[in-house]
Amino acid sequence: PPPIMQPNQIPSPLVGSPNLPPMANGVQLGSPFPRLSTPPGPPVFSSPLQQAAVPFRTSPSTPQPVAYSSGSSLPTSSPPTNLSNGSNELQQHQASEAAEDLAQYSDSPNVLFSAHKVLKQKKLANVGSLGFGALVSPGREVSSGPQIVHRDPHRCQNCGAYANLYCDVLVGSGQWQCVVCRNLNGSDGDYIAASKGHLRNLPELSSPLVDYVQTGNRRPGFVPLPDSKVAAPTVLVIDESLDEQHLQHLQSSLHAFLDSLPQTTRIGIILYGRAVSVYDFSEESTASADVLSGEKSPTEEALRTLIYGTGIYLAPLHASLPVAHAILSSLRPYKLNLPEASRDRCLGAAVEVALGVIRGPSGETSRGVVKRHGGSSRIIVCPGGPCTYGPGSVPHSMSHPNYAYMENSASKWMENLGRQARRGNTVVDIICAGTCPVRVSVLQPLSKFSGGVLVLQDDFGEAFGVNLQRASVRASGSNGLLEIRCSDEMLVTQVVGPGEEAHPDSHEPFKIDRCVAIQMLSMDETQCFALSFENRVDIRSDFVYFQFAVRYLNVYQADVTRVITVRLPTVDGVSAYLQSVQEDVAAVLIAKRTVLRAASYRDAVEARSTIDERIKDLAARFGSPVTNSKLNHYPRELSGLPELLFHLRRGPLLGSIGSHEDERSVLRAIFLNASFDLSLRMVAPRCLMHREGGTFEELPAYDLAMQSDAALVLDHGTDVFVWLGGGLAADRGKSAAALAACRTLAEELTEVRFPAPRILAFKVGEMPVFFF
């Protein structure tokens, strides 16, 4: 049967990979969480604290870190740390070939499998309660850099698979045998060599991860300039129906956001309320805007008049930063005496105008800016309430007799607008703030189908500004297509991630090709796809092969084909298979499949019961029988999995911790697209206790002891909590030192995470204190 493609709803970042070295992210992920009541040895962070955990590797163009301050500067991403997914579970008795294979697999952090071995028997392997799958991060940057080939790849003429390091090559003739379908292919003489050792000089025959980059005459649109020179434009779409307090915070964050951008970034500013105001950067003495009606979608004639006029609506910051600051300073609070939810907001029409401005030639050719740009254009919408006016709007009150029908119609309209944006190579991010409900069900399709993300914030303060900055730099390419191929014995049954099933015309057809092709909604290093596999038949070979190829345009407008090939050994024994299971990866895969079905609170309640049944089924199928009983012992090889699923069951993704269904919906959407590290933290929190001397000891998150003289840091992915005991709070000196150390650690843990989490600090007997 064809695989079930489940486009999850929105993207985010990483926190610790399976089998990391002990200090990667501060967690020994071979055993992701301490067992029983005995905590592990404390991971020591010297004072001042060292890098604790960088959630994901940043691209070379990511700005350097900026310290937190009370001024307008925003913290940005830091340089990558050297993470590796080492395979430390390899036993001495295993064959040297298998050991070499797992070592090669460990060099590809873009792919994490739930087990390092595959069961041969179909009946045993296809146990739904455990499952077998992989987490694939196609755009994730590798610290050492991938092997790069500046020529066309050699592909199997039968199934389309790419030549790789596991292929058998006939050095005399240069022919190579495909590992997927076993077909013999030619290499146009490229693989003719004196010996097989000489072939190791070819990147595709020596590395599991290879980038094929086509530039020059093969790609006429190639622009050999730095990222900053070909950066796509960013258009801010701002809600002008805000009260004074919210507006002041928003202005402060926007000013800081502009100051944090590279000076070559092209920026546009659009305001919306009952009308759409497009600000003109050619007016340097005053803030000037062209106004369009927000009652209906702008006509082609209106857009043509705007675009072909004399105004400049997209301009590089180095030429227009003072004008941009003047525009933001000119914003005024909402003056009518209406509740926030009842104010007119033509958000849909404003996004349509922003798309027209990005398409238009006047901003592209002005002031020496080339029309061709790299990566995806970006629209960042800053709403303080729902879309209640014009296209895509819903009634002010949910008690409206036709509200359900109008909400459904608005959601479909926003979905079409999101698809239109994606066709125009534009990503729409929506960063909401304030206390007014924004009707997530209506706005989410706009961000989802454009490849963007929707984030809810408490206010327009510094955390909002951090998310603005991180949203503007996170995209790494466009027009992504993910192809999944595996050995004939294996079958792809489900794909969960930020994509949709690709049209057959979007990829090349081959004679016998079981390729699963996924059209990626955007190319982002923070995204992740969760893949589920099953055995098609009983496996007879010693290895099975998996190949993941992603084709996209990078920010230089070069065609890039990234090919990742993984070989896993097969085993007959269930015990050997269970010992190779990566419990944290398996838990994340189970969580993504479970959360996918939890579209509402009622679905979430049912999903919690399925977790209980899953644990029972694992014991029944893989456990040993209890003497004189019908019960089974739970398999000791999977002893850490129930703890991870326990956290999932009671946490905000399926539990009732979130205060509103909209918040839980946004969290689920972020989780379904999130990379492994962030997903793991959202499933199972990580708790650290502050000790004397600036060190932190990791505690079991399921057995918290809030001692009166202790300070705790709890990282839950999208939120980080700092708790100070009553005894510690009484000593102002120790309390201040502990709070500073905890804040430093929290900032290090989340310095490149997107969305930027809330950092909440509170003491016993006091109201919570929020800082970001």
Side-chain angles (χ1 to χ4, degrees), residues 30-48:
S31 176
F33 292 96
R35 305 283 190 267
L36 304 177
S37 59
T38 304
V44 178
F45 301 92
S46 63
S47 183

Side-chain angles (χ1 to χ4, degrees), residues 38 91 107 206 209 259 383 427 583:
T38 304
Q91 302 298 322
D107 291 336
S206 60
L209 191 153
D259 290 336
V427 173
E583 294 174 335

